[in-house]
PDB file of all heavy atoms in Angstrom:
ATOM      1  N   LEU B 127     -86.777-142.754  73.753  1.00 98.00           N
ATOM      2  CA  LEU B 127     -85.334-142.912  73.714  1.00 98.00           C
ATOM      3  C   LEU B 127     -84.727-142.503  72.412  1.00 98.00           C
ATOM      4  O   LEU B 127     -85.217-142.912  71.337  1.00 98.00           O
ATOM      5  CB  LEU B 127     -85.035-144.391  74.052  1.00 98.00           C
ATOM      6  CG  LEU B 127     -83.577-144.677  74.102  1.00 98.00           C
ATOM      7  CD1 LEU B 127     -82.893-144.072  75.352  1.00 98.00           C
ATOM      8  CD2 LEU B 127     -83.238-146.184  74.179  1.00 98.00           C
ATOM      9  N   PHE B 128     -83.745-141.632  72.441  1.00 98.00           N
ATOM     10  CA  PHE B 128     -83.085-141.351  71.256  1.00 98.00           C
ATOM     11  C   PHE B 128     -81.628-141.661  71.414  1.00 98.00           C
ATOM     12  O   PHE B 128     -80.868-141.128  72.305  1.00 98.00           O
ATOM     13  CB  PHE B 128     -83.175-139.844  71.017  1.00 98.00           C
ATOM     14  CG  PHE B 128     -82.551-139.312  69.690  1.00 98.00           C
ATOM     15  CD1 PHE B 128     -83.140-139.503  68.497  1.00 98.00           C
ATOM     16  CD2 PHE B 128     -81.414-138.660  69.839  1.00 98.00           C
ATOM     17  CE1 PHE B 128     -82.590-139.029  67.346  1.00 98.00           C
ATOM     18  CE2 PHE B 128     -80.719-138.181  68.631  1.00 98.00           C
ATOM     19  CZ  PHE B 128     -81.375-138.439  67.426  1.00 98.00           C
ATOM     20  N   VAL B 129     -81.066-142.532  70.603  1.00 97.00           N
ATOM     21  CA  VAL B 129     -79.726-143.046  70.671  1.00 97.00           C
ATOM     22  C   VAL B 129     -78.795-142.462  69.471  1.00 97.00           C
ATOM     23  O   VAL B 129     -79.249-142.742  68.322  1.00 97.00           O
ATOM     24  CB  VAL B 129     -79.582-144.557  70.770  1.00 97.00           C
ATOM     25  CG1 VAL B 129     -78.138-144.944  70.838  1.00 97.00           C
ATOM     26  CG2 VAL B 129     -80.424-145.096  71.927  1.00 97.00           C
ATOM     27  N   LEU B 130     -77.782-141.819  69.839  1.00 96.00           N
ATOM     28  CA  LEU B 130     -76.960-141.323  68.692  1.00 96.00           C
ATOM     29  C   LEU B 130     -75.891-142.329  68.508  1.00 96.00           C
ATOM     30  O   LEU B 130     -75.037-142.595  69.407  1.00 96.00           O
ATOM     31  CB  LEU B 130     -76.259-139.997  69.141  1.00 96.00           C
ATOM     32  CG  LEU B 130     -75.247-139.389  68.067  1.00 96.00           C
ATOM     33  CD1 LEU B 130     -75.840-138.963  66.745  1.00 96.00           C
ATOM     34  CD2 LEU B 130     -74.547-138.276  68.669  1.00 96.00           C
ATOM     35  N   ASP B 131     -76.026-143.034  67.306  1.00 94.00           N
ATOM     36  CA  ASP B 131     -74.985-144.086  67.131  1.00 94.00           C
ATOM     37  C   ASP B 131     -73.984-143.840  65.927  1.00 94.00           C
ATOM     38  O   ASP B 131     -73.291-144.673  65.522  1.00 94.00           O
ATOM     39  CB  ASP B 131     -75.613-145.484  66.981  1.00 94.00           C
ATOM     40  CG  ASP B 131     -76.679-145.372  65.782  1.00 94.00           C
ATOM     41  OD1 ASP B 131     -76.731-144.406  65.046  1.00 94.00           O
ATOM     42  OD2 ASP B 131     -77.434-146.436  65.669  1.00 94.00           O
ATOM     43  N   GLU B 132     -74.038-142.609  65.482  1.00 94.00           N
ATOM     44  CA  GLU B 132     -73.133-142.127  64.441  1.00 94.00           C
ATOM     45  C   GLU B 132     -72.559-140.791  64.787  1.00 94.00           C
ATOM     46  O   GLU B 132     -73.163-140.013  65.426  1.00 94.00           O
ATOM     47  CB  GLU B 132     -73.840-141.902  63.069  1.00 94.00           C
ATOM     48  CG  GLU B 132     -74.249-143.211  62.417  1.00 94.00           C
ATOM     49  CD  GLU B 132     -75.208-142.879  61.181  1.00 94.00           C
ATOM     50  OE1 GLU B 132     -75.018-141.673  60.635  1.00 94.00           O
ATOM     51  OE2 GLU B 132     -75.851-143.764  60.657  1.00 94.00           O
ATOM     52  N   GLU B 133     -71.313-140.642  64.400  1.00 95.00           N
ATOM     53  CA  GLU B 133     -70.721-139.357  64.780  1.00 95.00           C
ATOM     54  C   GLU B 133     -71.372-138.226  63.959  1.00 95.00           C
ATOM     55  O   GLU B 133     -71.731-138.306  62.819  1.00 95.00           O
ATOM     56  CB  GLU B 133     -69.181-139.391  64.335  1.00 95.00           C
ATOM     57  CG  GLU B 133     -68.323-140.279  65.031  1.00 95.00           C
ATOM     58  CD  GLU B 133     -66.905-140.429  64.511  1.00 95.00           C
ATOM     59  OE1 GLU B 133     -66.818-141.239  63.470  1.00 95.00           O
ATOM     60  OE2 GLU B 133     -66.106-139.810  64.917  1.00 95.00           O
ATOM     61  N   VAL B 134     -71.467-137.007  64.669  1.00 96.00           N
ATOM     62  CA  VAL B 134     -72.038-135.870  63.969  1.00 96.00           C
ATOM     63  C   VAL B 134     -70.854-135.270  63.195  1.00 96.00           C
ATOM     64  O   VAL B 134     -70.984-134.903  61.998  1.00 96.00           O
ATOM     65  CB  VAL B 134     -72.438-134.797  65.035  1.00 96.00           C
ATOM     66  CG1 VAL B 134     -72.950-133.495  64.395  1.00 96.00           C
ATOM     67  CG2 VAL B 134     -73.620-135.415  65.950  1.00 96.00           C
ATOM     68  N   LEU B 135     -69.709-135.258  63.831  1.00 96.00           N
ATOM     69  CA  LEU B 135     -68.437-134.769  63.121  1.00 96.00           C
ATOM     70  C   LEU B 135     -67.507-135.884  63.296  1.00 96.00           C
ATOM     71  O   LEU B 135     -67.539-136.627  64.388  1.00 96.00           O
ATOM     72  CB  LEU B 135     -67.979-133.543  63.810  1.00 96.00           C
ATOM     73  CG  LEU B 135     -68.667-132.164  63.623  1.00 96.00           C
ATOM     74  CD1 LEU B 135     -68.132-131.141  64.456  1.00 96.00           C
ATOM     75  CD2 LEU B 135     -68.816-131.848  62.152  1.00 96.00           C
ATOM     76  N   PRO B 136     -66.499-136.079  62.423  1.00 94.00           N
ATOM     77  CA  PRO B 136     -65.429-137.128  62.749  1.00 94.00           C
ATOM     78  C   PRO B 136     -64.762-136.906  64.072  1.00 94.00           C
ATOM     79  O   PRO B 136     -64.537-135.667  64.424  1.00 94.00           O
ATOM     80  CB  PRO B 136     -64.477-136.932  61.611  1.00 94.00           C
ATOM     81  CG  PRO B 136     -65.198-136.090  60.458  1.00 94.00           C
ATOM     82  CD  PRO B 136     -66.292-135.330  61.249  1.00 94.00           C
ATOM     83  N   HIS B 137     -64.404-137.922  64.715  1.00 91.00           N
ATOM     84  CA  HIS B 137     -63.988-137.722  66.095  1.00 91.00           C
ATOM     85  C   HIS B 137     -62.596-137.015  66.084  1.00 91.00           C
ATOM     86  O   HIS B 137     -62.109-136.544  67.116  1.00 91.00           O
ATOM     87  CB  HIS B 137     -63.980-138.997  66.933  1.00 91.00           C
ATOM     88  CG  HIS B 137     -63.052-140.016  66.389  1.00 91.00           C
ATOM     89  ND1 HIS B 137     -63.480-140.967  65.379  1.00 91.00           N
ATOM     90  CD2 HIS B 137     -61.803-140.376  66.581  1.00 91.00           C
ATOM     91  CE1 HIS B 137     -62.534-141.780  65.059  1.00 91.00           C
ATOM     92  NE2 HIS B 137     -61.504-141.387  65.782  1.00 91.00           N
ATOM     93  N   SER B 138     -61.951-137.087  64.956  1.00 90.00           N
ATOM     94  CA  SER B 138     -60.677-136.398  64.786  1.00 90.00           C
ATOM     95  C   SER B 138     -60.897-134.828  64.858  1.00 90.00           C
ATOM     96  O   SER B 138     -60.063-134.117  65.282  1.00 90.00           O
ATOM     97  CB  SER B 138     -60.067-136.731  63.537  1.00 90.00           C
ATOM     98  OG  SER B 138     -60.824-136.447  62.389  1.00 90.00           O
ATOM     99  N   GLN B 139     -62.092-134.469  64.503  1.00 94.00           N
ATOM    100  CA  GLN B 139     -62.458-132.972  64.621  1.00 94.00           C
ATOM    101  C   GLN B 139     -62.991-132.609  65.902  1.00 94.00           C
ATOM    102  O   GLN B 139     -62.717-131.662  66.452  1.00 94.00           O
ATOM    103  CB  GLN B 139     -63.380-132.676  63.523  1.00 94.00           C
ATOM    104  CG  GLN B 139     -62.778-132.486  62.141  1.00 94.00           C
ATOM    105  CD  GLN B 139     -63.852-132.123  61.157  1.00 94.00           C
ATOM    106  OE1 GLN B 139     -64.862-131.395  61.376  1.00 94.00           O
ATOM    107  NE2 GLN B 139     -63.729-132.607  59.973  1.00 94.00           N
ATOM    108  N   MET B 140     -63.817-133.533  66.456  1.00 95.00           N
ATOM    109  CA  MET B 140     -64.493-133.193  67.664  1.00 95.00           C
ATOM    110  C   MET B 140     -64.638-134.550  68.485  1.00 95.00           C
ATOM    111  O   MET B 140     -65.350-135.423  68.034  1.00 95.00           O
ATOM    112  CB  MET B 140     -65.864-132.652  67.437  1.00 95.00           C
ATOM    113  CG  MET B 140     -66.585-132.342  68.719  1.00 95.00           C
ATOM    114  SD  MET B 140     -68.196-131.689  68.436  1.00 95.00           S
ATOM    115  CE  MET B 140     -68.228-130.078  69.064  1.00 95.00           C
ATOM    116  N   PRO B 141     -63.989-134.734  69.629  1.00 93.00           N
ATOM    117  CA  PRO B 141     -64.162-135.919  70.442  1.00 93.00           C
ATOM    118  C   PRO B 141     -65.625-136.221  70.683  1.00 93.00           C
ATOM    119  O   PRO B 141     -66.481-135.351  70.828  1.00 93.00           O
ATOM    120  CB  PRO B 141     -63.525-135.636  71.730  1.00 93.00           C
ATOM    121  CG  PRO B 141     -62.555-134.585  71.372  1.00 93.00           C
ATOM    122  CD  PRO B 141     -63.144-133.698  70.295  1.00 93.00           C
ATOM    123  N   VAL B 142     -65.948-137.526  70.626  1.00 93.00           N
ATOM    124  CA  VAL B 142     -67.394-137.930  70.703  1.00 93.00           C
ATOM    125  C   VAL B 142     -68.038-137.295  72.010  1.00 93.00           C
ATOM    126  O   VAL B 142     -69.222-136.855  71.949  1.00 93.00           O
ATOM    127  CB  VAL B 142     -67.498-139.492  70.734  1.00 93.00           C
ATOM    128  CG1 VAL B 142     -68.961-139.913  71.020  1.00 93.00           C
ATOM    129  CG2 VAL B 142     -67.049-140.036  69.360  1.00 93.00           C
ATOM    130  N   SER B 143     -67.337-137.183  73.108  1.00 95.00           N
ATOM    131  CA  SER B 143     -67.993-136.726  74.287  1.00 95.00           C
ATOM    132  C   SER B 143     -68.500-135.219  74.162  1.00 95.00           C
ATOM    133  O   SER B 143     -69.486-134.901  74.841  1.00 95.00           O
ATOM    134  CB  SER B 143     -67.017-136.798  75.488  1.00 95.00           C
ATOM    135  OG  SER B 143     -65.844-136.141  75.110  1.00 95.00           O
ATOM    136  N   TRP B 144     -67.906-134.533  73.284  1.00 97.00           N
ATOM    137  CA  TRP B 144     -68.437-133.150  73.034  1.00 97.00           C
ATOM    138  C   TRP B 144     -69.675-133.188  72.049  1.00 97.00           C
ATOM    139  O   TRP B 144     -70.417-132.126  72.112  1.00 97.00           O
ATOM    140  CB  TRP B 144     -67.395-132.269  72.412  1.00 97.00           C
ATOM    141  CG  TRP B 144     -66.267-131.754  73.393  1.00 97.00           C
ATOM    142  CD1 TRP B 144     -65.121-132.352  73.595  1.00 97.00           C
ATOM    143  CD2 TRP B 144     -66.362-130.578  74.160  1.00 97.00           C
ATOM    144  NE1 TRP B 144     -64.289-131.568  74.681  1.00 97.00           N
ATOM    145  CE2 TRP B 144     -65.142-130.507  74.906  1.00 97.00           C
ATOM    146  CE3 TRP B 144     -67.328-129.533  74.338  1.00 97.00           C
ATOM    147  CZ2 TRP B 144     -64.799-129.515  75.831  1.00 97.00           C
ATOM    148  CZ3 TRP B 144     -67.046-128.500  75.184  1.00 97.00           C
ATOM    149  CH2 TRP B 144     -65.846-128.468  75.970  1.00 97.00           C
ATOM    150  N   GLN B 145     -69.874-134.222  71.403  1.00 97.00           N
ATOM    151  CA  GLN B 145     -70.878-134.235  70.343  1.00 97.00           C
ATOM    152  C   GLN B 145     -72.322-134.263  70.934  1.00 97.00           C
ATOM    153  O   GLN B 145     -73.197-133.934  70.306  1.00 97.00           O
ATOM    154  CB  GLN B 145     -70.652-135.317  69.346  1.00 97.00           C
ATOM    155  CG  GLN B 145     -69.370-135.197  68.674  1.00 97.00           C
ATOM    156  CD  GLN B 145     -69.136-136.100  67.459  1.00 97.00           C
ATOM    157  OE1 GLN B 145     -70.128-136.517  66.917  1.00 97.00           O
ATOM    158  NE2 GLN B 145     -67.904-136.239  66.988  1.00 97.00           N
ATOM    159  N   ARG B 146     -72.387-134.588  72.230  1.00 97.00           N
ATOM    160  CA  ARG B 146     -73.731-134.642  72.772  1.00 97.00           C
ATOM    161  C   ARG B 146     -74.394-133.319  72.857  1.00 97.00           C
ATOM    162  O   ARG B 146     -75.612-133.234  72.770  1.00 97.00           O
ATOM    163  CB  ARG B 146     -73.603-135.158  74.296  1.00 97.00           C
ATOM    164  CG  ARG B 146     -73.075-134.174  75.225  1.00 97.00           C
ATOM    165  CD  ARG B 146     -72.888-134.712  76.673  1.00 97.00           C
ATOM    166  NE  ARG B 146     -71.682-135.625  76.611  1.00 97.00           N
ATOM    167  CZ  ARG B 146     -71.162-136.130  77.697  1.00 97.00           C
ATOM    168  NH1 ARG B 146     -71.699-135.847  78.826  1.00 97.00           N
ATOM    169  NH2 ARG B 146     -70.053-136.910  77.673  1.00 97.00           N
ATOM    170  N   TYR B 147     -73.609-132.279  72.737  1.00 98.00           N
ATOM    171  CA  TYR B 147     -74.296-130.880  72.869  1.00 98.00           C
ATOM    172  C   TYR B 147     -74.913-130.492  71.574  1.00 98.00           C
ATOM    173  O   TYR B 147     -75.476-129.351  71.455  1.00 98.00           O
ATOM    174  CB  TYR B 147     -73.134-129.942  73.295  1.00 98.00           C
ATOM    175  CG  TYR B 147     -72.561-130.306  74.709  1.00 98.00           C
ATOM    176  CD1 TYR B 147     -71.458-130.973  74.835  1.00 98.00           C
ATOM    177  CD2 TYR B 147     -73.477-130.295  75.827  1.00 98.00           C
ATOM    178  CE1 TYR B 147     -70.919-131.392  76.112  1.00 98.00           C
ATOM    179  CE2 TYR B 147     -72.976-130.707  77.102  1.00 98.00           C
ATOM    180  CZ  TYR B 147     -71.739-131.304  77.165  1.00 98.00           C
ATOM    181  OH  TYR B 147     -71.345-131.800  78.356  1.00 98.00           O
ATOM    182  N   TYR B 148     -74.793-131.369  70.537  1.00 98.00           N
ATOM    183  CA  TYR B 148     -75.585-131.142  69.369  1.00 98.00           C
ATOM    184  C   TYR B 148     -76.947-131.688  69.408  1.00 98.00           C
ATOM    185  O   TYR B 148     -77.726-131.759  68.435  1.00 98.00           O
ATOM    186  CB  TYR B 148     -74.919-131.808  68.206  1.00 98.00           C
ATOM    187  CG  TYR B 148     -73.729-131.081  67.563  1.00 98.00           C
ATOM    188  CD1 TYR B 148     -72.419-131.463  67.630  1.00 98.00           C
ATOM    189  CD2 TYR B 148     -73.952-129.748  66.922  1.00 98.00           C
ATOM    190  CE1 TYR B 148     -71.318-130.785  67.177  1.00 98.00           C
ATOM    191  CE2 TYR B 148     -72.908-129.010  66.408  1.00 98.00           C
ATOM    192  CZ  TYR B 148     -71.608-129.535  66.433  1.00 98.00           C
ATOM    193  OH  TYR B 148     -70.508-128.819  66.001  1.00 98.00           O
ATOM    194  N   VAL B 149     -77.423-132.111  70.590  1.00 98.00           N
ATOM    195  CA  VAL B 149     -78.638-132.850  70.754  1.00 98.00           C
ATOM    196  C   VAL B 149     -79.881-132.038  70.221  1.00 98.00           C
ATOM    197  O   VAL B 149     -80.736-132.639  69.493  1.00 98.00           O
ATOM    198  CB  VAL B 149     -78.863-133.079  72.307  1.00 98.00           C
ATOM    199  CG1 VAL B 149     -78.857-131.983  73.080  1.00 98.00           C
ATOM    200  CG2 VAL B 149     -80.149-133.995  72.449  1.00 98.00           C
ATOM    201  N   PHE B 150     -79.831-130.752  70.256  1.00 98.00           N
ATOM    202  CA  PHE B 150     -80.982-129.969  69.813  1.00 98.00           C
ATOM    203  C   PHE B 150     -81.102-130.024  68.371  1.00 98.00           C
ATOM    204  O   PHE B 150     -82.176-130.298  67.754  1.00 98.00           O
ATOM    205  CB  PHE B 150     -81.035-128.511  70.295  1.00 98.00           C
ATOM    206  CG  PHE B 150     -81.240-128.351  71.824  1.00 98.00           C
ATOM    207  CD1 PHE B 150     -80.240-128.058  72.619  1.00 98.00           C
ATOM    208  CD2 PHE B 150     -82.443-128.537  72.376  1.00 98.00           C
ATOM    209  CE1 PHE B 150     -80.404-127.919  74.042  1.00 98.00           C
ATOM    210  CE2 PHE B 150     -82.742-128.246  73.677  1.00 98.00           C
ATOM    211  CZ  PHE B 150     -81.651-128.056  74.534  1.00 98.00           C
ATOM    212  N   ASP B 151     -79.891-129.848  67.711  1.00 97.00           N
ATOM    213  CA  ASP B 151     -79.946-129.992  66.208  1.00 97.00           C
ATOM    214  C   ASP B 151     -80.385-131.379  65.768  1.00 97.00           C
ATOM    215  O   ASP B 151     -81.044-131.512  64.812  1.00 97.00           O
ATOM    216  CB  ASP B 151     -78.505-129.693  65.733  1.00 97.00           C
ATOM    217  CG  ASP B 151     -78.041-128.302  66.017  1.00 97.00           C
ATOM    218  OD1 ASP B 151     -78.921-127.326  66.077  1.00 97.00           O
ATOM    219  OD2 ASP B 151     -76.882-128.096  66.348  1.00 97.00           O
ATOM    220  N   LEU B 152     -79.870-132.315  66.416  1.00 97.00           N
ATOM    221  CA  LEU B 152     -80.177-133.741  66.129  1.00 97.00           C
ATOM    222  C   LEU B 152     -81.643-134.082  66.154  1.00 97.00           C
ATOM    223  O   LEU B 152     -82.136-134.734  65.356  1.00 97.00           O
ATOM    224  CB  LEU B 152     -79.370-134.696  66.984  1.00 97.00           C
ATOM    225  CG  LEU B 152     -77.853-134.772  66.815  1.00 97.00           C
ATOM    226  CD1 LEU B 152     -77.182-135.414  67.980  1.00 97.00           C
ATOM    227  CD2 LEU B 152     -77.482-135.484  65.472  1.00 97.00           C
ATOM    228  N   LEU B 153     -82.234-133.586  67.312  1.00 97.00           N
ATOM    229  CA  LEU B 153     -83.639-133.853  67.572  1.00 97.00           C
ATOM    230  C   LEU B 153     -84.512-133.189  66.410  1.00 97.00           C
ATOM    231  O   LEU B 153     -85.386-133.746  65.792  1.00 97.00           O
ATOM    232  CB  LEU B 153     -84.089-133.501  68.910  1.00 97.00           C
ATOM    233  CG  LEU B 153     -83.584-134.311  70.083  1.00 97.00           C
ATOM    234  CD1 LEU B 153     -83.923-133.750  71.335  1.00 97.00           C
ATOM    235  CD2 LEU B 153     -84.086-135.836  70.012  1.00 97.00           C
ATOM    236  N   GLU B 154     -84.129-131.989  66.239  1.00 96.00           N
ATOM    237  CA  GLU B 154     -84.837-131.167  65.202  1.00 96.00           C
ATOM    238  C   GLU B 154     -84.623-131.698  63.788  1.00 96.00           C
ATOM    239  O   GLU B 154     -85.606-131.818  62.978  1.00 96.00           O
ATOM    240  CB  GLU B 154     -84.506-129.733  65.372  1.00 96.00           C
ATOM    241  CG  GLU B 154     -85.165-129.105  66.524  1.00 96.00           C
ATOM    242  CD  GLU B 154     -84.632-127.815  67.007  1.00 96.00           C
ATOM    243  OE1 GLU B 154     -84.115-127.040  66.188  1.00 96.00           O
ATOM    244  OE2 GLU B 154     -84.812-127.529  68.293  1.00 96.00           O
ATOM    245  N   ALA B 155     -83.361-132.091  63.456  1.00 96.00           N
ATOM    246  CA  ALA B 155     -83.115-132.766  62.162  1.00 96.00           C
ATOM    247  C   ALA B 155     -83.850-134.088  61.898  1.00 96.00           C
ATOM    248  O   ALA B 155     -84.258-134.448  60.847  1.00 96.00           O
ATOM    249  CB  ALA B 155     -81.654-132.977  61.946  1.00 96.00           C
TER     250      ALA B 155
END
Side-chain angles (χ1 to χ4, degrees):
Chain B
L127 180 68
F128 181 78
V129 179
L130 176 67
D131 55 9
E132 287 176 16
E133 294 172 276
V134 179
L135 293 172
H137 63 274
S138 55
Q139 280 179 38
M140 180 186 242
V142 172
S143 55
W144 282 92
Q145 299 192 21
R146 74 187 71 171
Y147 302 103
Y148 279 113
V149 58
F150 290 104
D151 297 325
L152 291 165
L153 291 174
E154 284 164 23

